[in-house]
Amino acid sequence: MTDEDFLRHLDDYGASPERWPPELRAAADAALARSPALRDALEDARSFDRLLATPAPPVEDARVDRLLAAVGKAARGMPQDSIAVLLLGRMPRRTVAGFCVVLLALGWLTGGWLSGQLAGPAPTAPRSQELALLNDEVVTLFDGDSR
């Protein structure tokens, strides 16, 4: 057994020899006898196993409450940027509100003008073609293949 094989098996089965498959134990013992580095790796794995086997210390509820209060206080102290701040930069709220009203009014005016002036009557298709188009779109949407 090579050193790499031993280390891989040590990761797979742990430091306890009874968890290793019987056919690997003799080769592992021979590898340990010839390599001090593997013995150190085995001891590290044993100490890690012991660490995992010890129960976690209990945590007091008061300590958790103090931690959550400190995190909440720190979060409230940090400024939270909204999407408007990210898009428009830092402006007074009245300026942002006015800008939004102007955009809504332009959209309303433009939408009414476009629907009355540029757009003609909507073409109508027979009901079977509408369903066929909807069906084609749904199939394309879910499996990525158009049919």
Side-chain angles (χ1 to χ4, degrees), residues 58-69:
V59 179
E60 303 163 359
D61 289 339
R63 186 175 182 186
V64 172
D65 292 340
R66 285 192 309 270
L67 178 64
L68 290 176

Side-chain angles (χ1 to χ4, degrees), residues 44-109:
D44 289 343
R46 285 182 178 153
S47 64
F48 184 68
D49 285 351
R50 284 191 300 270
L51 180 66
L52 290 177
T54 59
V59 179
E60 303 163 359
D61 289 339
R63 186 175 182 186
V64 172
D65 292 340
R66 285 192 309 270
L67 178 64
L68 290 176
V71 168
K73 183 178 176 184
R76 285 188 297 277
M78 298 189 105
Q80 302 288 320
D81 288 340
S82 66
I83 188 72
V85 170
L86 294 174
L87 292 175
L88 304 174
R90 299 213 179 269
M91 293 184 199
R93 286 185 179 184
R94 296 187 100 185
T95 306
V96 172
F99 185 67
C100 290
V101 168
V102 168
L103 285 176
L104 285 172
L106 283 174
W108 179 70
L109 290 173

Side-chain angles (χ1 to χ4, degrees), residues 1-144:
M1 175 179 295
T2 66
D3 290 359
E4 292 82 21
D5 289 339
F6 180 86
L7 293 174
R8 186 174 28 107
H9 294 312
L10 184 63
D11 285 341
D12 291 343
Y13 302 113
S16 181
E18 61 270 1
R19 288 189 294 203
W20 286 54
E23 62 272 6
L24 294 177
R25 290 180 194 162
D29 289 337
L32 282 171
R34 74 171 192 283
S35 173
L38 293 181
R39 288 191 296 273
D40 290 340
L42 180 64
E43 186 52 42
D44 289 343
R46 285 182 178 153
S47 64
F48 184 68
D49 285 351
R50 284 191 300 270
L51 180 66
L52 290 177
T54 59
V59 179
E60 303 163 359
D61 289 339
R63 186 175 182 186
V64 172
D65 292 340
R66 285 192 309 270
L67 178 64
L68 290 176
V71 168
K73 183 178 176 184
R76 285 188 297 277
M78 298 189 105
Q80 302 288 320
D81 288 340
S82 66
I83 188 72
V85 170
L86 294 174
L87 292 175
L88 304 174
R90 299 213 179 269
M91 293 184 199
R93 286 185 179 184
R94 296 187 100 185
T95 306
V96 172
F99 185 67
C100 290
V101 168
V102 168
L103 285 176
L104 285 172
L106 283 174
W108 179 70
L109 290 173
T110 305
W113 181 73
L114 282 176
S115 66
Q117 299 296 324
L118 297 178
T124 58
R127 186 76 175 145
S128 62
Q129 287 180 353
E130 289 176 7
L131 291 175
L133 288 175
L134 177 63
N135 185 24
D136 288 345
E137 290 171 6
V138 170
V139 169
T140 300
L141 177 70
F142 286 107
D143 71 356

